[in-house]
Amino acid sequence: MKERILKELNQNRRSFISGQYLSDRLGISRTAVWKYINALKKQGYEIEAIPNKGYRLVTSPDVLIAEEVYPLLKTSVLGRKVIHSEKLASTSLLAKEIAPQQQEGTVVIAEEQTGGRGRLGRKWYSPRGGGIWASLILKPRIRPEKAYQLTQVAAVAVVKAIKETTGVSAGIKWPNDIIINGKKVCGILTEMNAEADAVNHIILSIGLNVSPGQEDMPPDLRDKMTFLDVECGFSVSRKGLLAALLGELERVYFKFLEQGFEAVAEDCRRFSVLLGREVRVEQMDRVFQGRAVQITGDGALLVQTAEGRVEVISGDVSVRGVYGYL
Ligand code: ADP
């Protein structure tokens, strides 16, 4: 019902609409209308109320609730259902829990994560309203061994959405980090639930830093991380960015499903900040250095070492530039 009231208010932003009109149109009492208006105010909507004239929506908050995101979406599957929370331990945890009952494309979003995680359980800093902290539930009909490619599919979409929304050219530090001016602006985490030869679901989590707000960055991240606002010099609307991200992701994801990773690989190469550079590869059991020379049609990173070419598959490695973080 709140959503319907908001729709009415949004359609009549230039004029006042009376409580009576809303009550007749939506078939609820005027007291109920008043209660919903108050609930919207609590969510951050600025609504002018004048006796005998009615209500007028002045500004909407930049929160990632369904009512704000749906009108901006141009997708047919991704984000058609938004589950929004003010605070979660992690969006990925909730997404994993509910995935079996949810349709593909459902997205879990939190304004703040208290226990956000990256790969290998590393902490992901997710301050309140500071970014897009989201986990998408995907149910692709692909073989489980292809699932790691989705990380790079998402990375391409993030780079495109950043460009579209801010004009800034970001790069991909293979396979899962998005970099601007040598600092990390976004991390991507792909977690799979599968049988031996079929995927049940994949949780694609994206942490995209937008605005530092009032909070001090953790000291250990200060030189490593950045925010979109800082890089583009204006205040980025998170809901607009989320809609752009879901739009790009749907395009690249469908392309991947229809044509395979090969069709996305060229964008991965184009946006890569590693190709042509010296890198250090850390795997579970060994560490080696070499020059990143190619991203293959399967999404592996080819590294030229003194001993020959090594094909590095995502998931069990982390790659760092030898001269600092990149
Ligand atoms: P890696 O960069 O090694 O692939 P992850 O992608 O799993 O690691 O991300 C976790 C790491 O990212 C943390 O160990 C920390 O260094 C860094 N980090 C944590 N929060 C943020 C953030 N909001 N923005 C950028 N980097 C972050």
Side-chain angles (χ1 to χ4, degrees):
M1 184 54 72
K2 233 170 27 185
E3 207 174 313
R4 289 181 64 194
I5 292 191
L6 200 53
K7 198 167 164 202
E8 293 291 336
L9 289 171
N10 255 320
Q11 282 168 350
N12 298 280
R13 285 184 91 134
R14 288 168 190 280
S15 54
F16 283 85
I17 37 179
S18 70
Q20 189 59 54
Y21 171 84
L22 285 172
S23 129
D24 291 345
R25 185 147 169 93
L26 305 175
I28 54 175
S29 71
R30 288 186 60 171
T31 317
V33 169
W34 179 79
K35 278 189 185 152
Y36 285 119
I37 294 277
N38 275 342
L40 286 168
K41 282 185 181 169
K42 280 211 182 87
Q43 282 184 299
Y45 290 89
E46 197 188 327
I47 298 168
E48 204 178 347
I50 298 187
N52 300 324
K53 273 179 114 177
Y55 304 102
R56 188 175 72 91
L57 179 61
V58 184
T59 57
S60 305
D62 190 26
V63 283
L64 301 176
I65 52 177
E67 291 90 332
E68 288 299 310
V69 178
Y70 290 150
L72 304 177
L73 278 186
K74 296 197 183 83
T75 54
S76 57
V77 178
L78 303 192
R80 295 318 317 183
K81 180 166 177 193
V82 171
I83 298 175
H84 174 269
S85 300
E86 285 298 317
K87 194 195 274 195
L88 284 179
S90 105
T91 55
S92 144
L93 275 181
L94 177 58
K96 269 184 252 179
E97 211 176 289
I98 62 174
Q101 296 83 40
Q102 295 294 327
Q103 70 213 38
E104 164 153 272
T106 298
V107 59
V108 176
I109 297 181
E111 294 295 312
E112 174 184 2
Q113 294 185 113
T114 52
R117 288 280 176 271
R119 289 194 299 166
L120 307 171
R122 294 177 193 127
K123 274 194 188 144
W124 186 263
Y125 169 61
S126 342
R128 178 168 195 76
I132 293 177
W133 323 128
S135 293
L136 259 170
I137 297 170
L138 299 177
K139 303 193 170 179
R141 295 170 64 87
I142 56 173
R143 294 193 55 83
E145 42 308 351
K146 303 269 180 203
Y148 75 92
Q149 297 171 338
L150 269 172
T151 301
Q152 294 179 70
V153 166
V156 166
V158 172
V159 170
K160 290 187 167 179
I162 289 177
K163 183 78 180 183
E164 189 181 315
T165 318
T166 66
V168 171
S169 298
I172 303 172
K173 178 178 146 293
W174 184 94
N176 69 324
D177 293 342
I178 308 300
I179 308 286
I180 301 178
N181 289 326
K183 292 181 176 175
K184 182 155 147 187
V185 71
C186 172
I188 296 162
L189 180 70
T190 310
E191 298 165 286
M192 173 173 60
N193 179 307
E195 312 285 319
D197 51 9
V199 170
N200 296 328
H201 58 255
I202 286 172
I203 307 300
L204 183 67
S205 297
I206 295 179
L208 174 52
N209 306 327
V210 178
S211 161
Q214 306 295 318
E215 210 174 297
D216 282 337
M217 282 184 218
D220 59 314
L221 291 181
R222 212 163 285 156
D223 302 328
K224 284 191 196 170
M225 75 177 288
T226 189
F227 291 85
L228 271 185
D229 274 11
V230 173
E231 298 297 331
C232 73
F234 59 84
S235 171
V236 175
S237 146
R238 284 185 311 147
K239 54 191 178 190
L241 178 64
L242 176 64
L245 176 59
L246 291 168
E248 290 295 350
L249 192 53
E250 185 165 287
R251 261 196 292 281
V252 190
Y253 176 59
F254 284 176
K255 190 170 174 185
F256 164 70
L257 292 182
E258 282 156 21
Q259 301 170 38
F261 186 77
E262 185 78 54
V264 182
E266 197 41 50
D267 276 341
C268 293
R269 296 174 193 131
R270 194 154 63 94
F271 298 144
S272 174
V273 296
L274 289 188
L275 291 184
R277 298 178 76 160
E278 292 298 315
V279 295
R280 202 163 90 103
V281 180
E282 294 175 30
Q283 291 181 319
M284 293 279 187
D285 51 350
R286 63 176 181 159
V287 177
F288 59 92
Q289 288 186 222
R291 181 179 289 268
V293 288
Q294 185 59 296
I295 292 167
T296 68
D298 282 333
L301 182 72
L302 280 188
V303 179
Q304 182 72 49
T305 70
E307 287 80 43
R309 286 198 166 184
V310 182
E311 197 172 299
V312 185
I313 302 289
S314 71
D316 59 347
V317 295
S318 71
V319 184
R320 302 208 180 262
V322 269
Y323 309 115
Y325 188 78
L326 248 180

